[in-house]
């Protein structure tokens, strides 16, 4: 690594640390007058402390919107270049994109295109997911026939049967309710706590310069 | 667009997506891909419209009015923020130039740092503390509702053993060959059972959601056909 590159890496890490700590402190201390003992002027102080986070979040929001525009422009360029080699599906994509923009510009506020095309395709794709999920569930037993695979499939079957509105299945419904209330709730909490701990660790690593994913 | 036209287009597109189930049949097999490419093109167009109309345009209109201010720091600061974001967008495009990578990286550092800080504060105040509080909470009147206490204890044990199971996996990789105690193995198995149960229930709920959507789609196809 050359001297210039080392300086660049140091600068990026310094910027990340300064910005991250500013936003974190601003979010934790801002807009919370109770932290300053509700004394005269604490409202104003809390409001002023919230300003750096507010400004930086707006900056990032506008930047992300611009990044989306750049990303979509890139998608279009890729498909235009594929068009030259006679790719039919790229032509479909470009036509669909162009028609939607034209429709929106000429008929402001008309959502019928969304109802006619977007919603049916989304719903049909979600419906197809049912087939994939059932197929995947059946493969769990054939590929992994141990105790854990059996437990997984048993829980799936119990929850599915418990959701049926049949009087004959009332005992199963009671089991299913208990399952959702205790073990599933505990498991979901464990997963959420694990995710939160992971976010905290990853966030701290990024702020302290341990994880410099922005170096590209 | 007339309602009949909407229904006809919906009908055709639904059939095109469902043609996936027929597999690689000549001609029919392409219908699914056509529907997916239409979907991607339309999604890209709507995303572009929403990004422009929902974020860029309102900010652009606001900075033109000296009386308004987002940050209470005055219109000039708003204009500075907007043009800094524009500059950031331009700097990102310099990524292919090796000698200017430090500029692009500094922009990405700002975005990642803001994201990390927001994620960190959100995880601490929105998930970690409230969930820990809810998990260790004991019912107010224990004698009157003993079953509630048992439930709380079971949830606490389940959540903690679930977390222990994650922890155990990290240690197992770090200390190759290190034997776990019987108690450790037992807790790990309880944690794994709790997590498998939760994942099974989530899987079943997703199947139910997809089944509901499939029923609605099939109902629509029959209704249109009739």
């Amino acid at each position: 690594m050359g001297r210039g590159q080392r300086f660049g890496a140091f600068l990026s890490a310094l910027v990340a640390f300064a910005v991250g700590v500013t936003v974190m402190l601003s979010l934790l201390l801002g807009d919370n007058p109770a932290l300053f003992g509700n004394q005269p002027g604490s409202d104003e102080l809390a409001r002023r402390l919230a300003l750096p986070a507010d400004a930086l979040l707006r900056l990032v929001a506008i930047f992300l919107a611009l990044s989306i525009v750049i990303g979509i422009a890139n998608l279009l360029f890729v498909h235009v270049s594929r068009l030259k080699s006679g790719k039919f599906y790229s032509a479909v994509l470009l036509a669909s994109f162009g028609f939607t923009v034209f429709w929106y510009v000429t008929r402001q506020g008309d959502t019928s295109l969304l109802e006619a095309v977007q919603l049916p395709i989304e719903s049909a794709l979600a419906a197809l997911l049912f087939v994939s999920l059932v197929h995947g569930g059946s493969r769990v037993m054939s590929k992994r026939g141990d105790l854990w695979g059996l437990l997984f499939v048993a829980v799936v079957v119990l929850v599915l049967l418990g959701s049926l509105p049949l009087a004959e299945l009332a005992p199963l419904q009671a089991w299913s309710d208990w399952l959702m209330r205790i073990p599933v709730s505990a498991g979901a909490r464990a997963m959420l706590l694990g995710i939160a701990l992971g976010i905290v660790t990853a966030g701290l690593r990024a702020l302290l310069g341990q994880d410099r994913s922005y170096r590209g | 667009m007339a309602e009949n036209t909407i229904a006809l287009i919906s009908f055709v597109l639904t059939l095109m997506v469902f043609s996936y189930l027929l597999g690689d049949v000549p001609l029919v097999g392409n219908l699914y891909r056509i529907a997916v490419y239409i979907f991607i093109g339309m999604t890209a167009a709507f995303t572009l419209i929403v990004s422009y109309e929902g974020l860029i345009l309102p900010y652009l209109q606001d900075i033109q009015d000296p009386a308004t201010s987002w940050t209470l720091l005055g219109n000039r600061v708003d204009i500075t923020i907007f043009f800094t974001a524009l500059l950031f967008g331009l700097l990102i495009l310099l990524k292919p130039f090796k000698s200017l990578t430090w500029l692009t990286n500094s922009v990405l550092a700002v975005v990642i740092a803001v994201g990390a800080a927001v994620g960190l504060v959100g995880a601490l105040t929105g998930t970690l503390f409230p969930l820990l509080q809810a998990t260790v909470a004991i019912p107010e009147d224990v004698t009157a509702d003993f079953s509630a206490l048992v439930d709380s204890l079971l949830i606490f044990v389940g959540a903690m053993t679930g977390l222990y199971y994650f922890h155990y996996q990290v240690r197992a990789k770090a200390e190759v060959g290190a034997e776990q105690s019987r108690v450790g193995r037992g807790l790990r198995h309880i944690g794994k059972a709790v997590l498998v149960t939760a994942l099974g229930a989530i899987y079943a709920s997703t199947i139910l959601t997809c089944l509901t959507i499939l029923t609605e789609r099939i109902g629509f196809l029959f209704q249109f056909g009739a």
Side-chain angles (χ1 to χ4, degrees):
Chain A
M1 192 187 269
R3 206 171 163 185
Q5 281 178 314
R6 270 208 305 273
F7 174 72
F10 171 73
L11 188 74
S12 303
L14 194 70
V15 168
F17 179 75
V19 170
V21 170
T22 308
V23 173
M24 206 168 69
L25 289 176
S26 178
L27 285 172
L28 287 170
L29 304 175
D31 278 338
N32 196 355
L35 278 176
F36 309 103
N38 284 325
Q39 288 167 352
S42 57
D43 278 352
E44 181 60 22
L45 180 64
R47 204 170 55 83
R48 284 192 174 278
L49 282 172
L51 287 176
D54 194 15
L56 281 165
L57 282 175
R58 281 177 197 278
L59 173 74
V60 170
I62 301 168
F63 170 73
L64 289 179
L66 288 169
S67 308
I68 290 170
V69 175
I70 294 169
I72 290 169
N74 184 48
L75 175 87
L76 296 178
F77 282 131
V78 167
H79 282 279
V80 167
S81 63
R82 280 188 186 178
L83 209 57
K84 287 170 192 162
S85 53
K87 299 275 185 193
F88 170 68
Y89 296 115
S90 294
V92 172
L93 187 144
L94 290 170
S96 160
F97 180 87
F99 181 72
T100 310
V101 173
F102 172 76
W103 180 277
Y104 191 81
V105 171
T106 52
R107 300 184 185 203
Q108 286 273 336
D110 187 356
T111 58
S112 53
L113 195 64
L114 199 74
E115 286 172 45
V117 182
Q118 190 89 354
L119 292 182
I121 296 181
E122 272 181 27
S123 310
L125 286 172
L128 270 190
L129 193 61
F130 169 77
V131 180
S132 308
L133 287 174
V134 172
H135 181 62
S138 67
R139 280 173 68 91
V140 168
M141 278 316 288
S142 60
K143 291 275 178 191
R144 193 179 169 166
D146 60 358
L147 179 72
W148 304 114
L150 192 71
L151 177 66
F152 181 83
V153 174
V155 170
V156 171
V157 172
L158 185 66
V159 173
L160 288 176
L161 288 176
S163 67
L164 290 175
L166 294 172
E168 293 83 0
L169 296 174
L172 278 182
Q173 282 164 3
W175 269 100
S176 173
D177 287 347
W178 180 84
L179 209 67
M180 297 301 268
R181 208 160 37 85
I182 310 294
V184 174
S185 171
R189 282 177 195 202
M191 281 188 258
L192 286 172
L193 285 171
I195 292 167
L197 288 170
I199 291 172
V200 170
T201 314
L204 281 174
R205 280 177 64 84
L207 293 186
L208 296 173
Q210 293 282 314
D211 181 9
R212 298 182 192 174
S213 47
Y214 41 81
R215 278 196 298 202
Chain B
M1 209 187 290
E3 269 197 25
N4 285 343
T5 318
I6 293 176
L8 180 68
I9 296 170
S10 301
F11 179 77
V12 172
L13 287 170
T14 305
L15 285 181
M16 281 168 79
V17 174
F18 282 172
S19 70
Y20 175 80
L21 296 172
L22 297 174
D24 275 337
V25 181
L27 289 174
V28 177
N30 296 337
L31 293 176
Y32 170 76
R33 291 190 75 180
I34 292 172
V36 169
Y37 274 83
I38 291 174
F39 178 69
I40 296 169
M42 201 160 269
T43 307
F46 278 124
T47 310
L48 181 73
I49 291 163
V50 169
S51 305
Y52 178 70
E53 290 213 325
L55 274 164
I56 300 170
L57 193 63
Y59 283 130
L60 207 56
Q61 285 167 344
D62 280 353
I63 59 169
Q64 285 168 351
D65 182 5
T68 60
S69 174
W70 318 318
T71 55
L72 305 171
L73 288 171
N75 188 250
R76 284 192 161 212
V77 177
D78 296 354
I79 293 172
T80 313
I81 290 172
F82 188 82
F83 282 100
T84 310
L86 273 183
L87 182 70
F88 277 17
L90 289 173
L91 288 176
I92 280 292
L93 296 173
L94 298 177
K95 188 81 177 165
F97 301 101
K98 287 258 177 187
S99 57
L100 296 171
T101 312
W102 64 276
L103 265 174
T104 316
N105 287 350
S106 297
V107 170
L108 285 176
V110 171
V111 178
I112 289 174
V114 171
V118 171
L120 208 147
V121 174
L124 281 175
T125 58
T127 310
L128 213 56
F129 292 148
L131 256 182
L132 278 175
Q133 272 179 344
T135 308
V136 299
I138 297 170
E140 281 180 9
D141 192 358
V142 178
T143 49
D145 195 0
F146 185 70
S147 66
L149 177 70
V150 175
D151 287 356
S152 299
L153 270 174
L154 285 174
I155 289 173
F156 175 76
V157 171
M160 291 305 124
T161 49
L163 276 176
Y164 182 74
Y165 174 68
F166 292 132
H167 178 68
Y168 173 74
Q169 281 203 319
V170 174
R171 278 182 60 183
K173 278 183 185 167
E175 299 167 20
V176 179
E179 282 291 319
Q180 276 280 309
S181 68
R182 273 191 177 183
V183 179
R185 274 206 303 273
L187 288 174
R188 178 180 166 256
H189 279 119
I190 295 172
K192 193 172 179 180
V194 168
L195 289 174
V196 168
T197 309
L199 289 171
I202 293 167
Y203 197 82
S205 305
T206 315
I207 288 179
L208 280 174
T209 310
C210 293
L211 182 63
T212 311
I213 298 168
L214 179 68
T215 316
E216 184 273 327
R217 276 295 92 188
I218 291 173
F220 166 75
L221 290 178
F222 277 110
Q223 200 183 355
F224 187 83

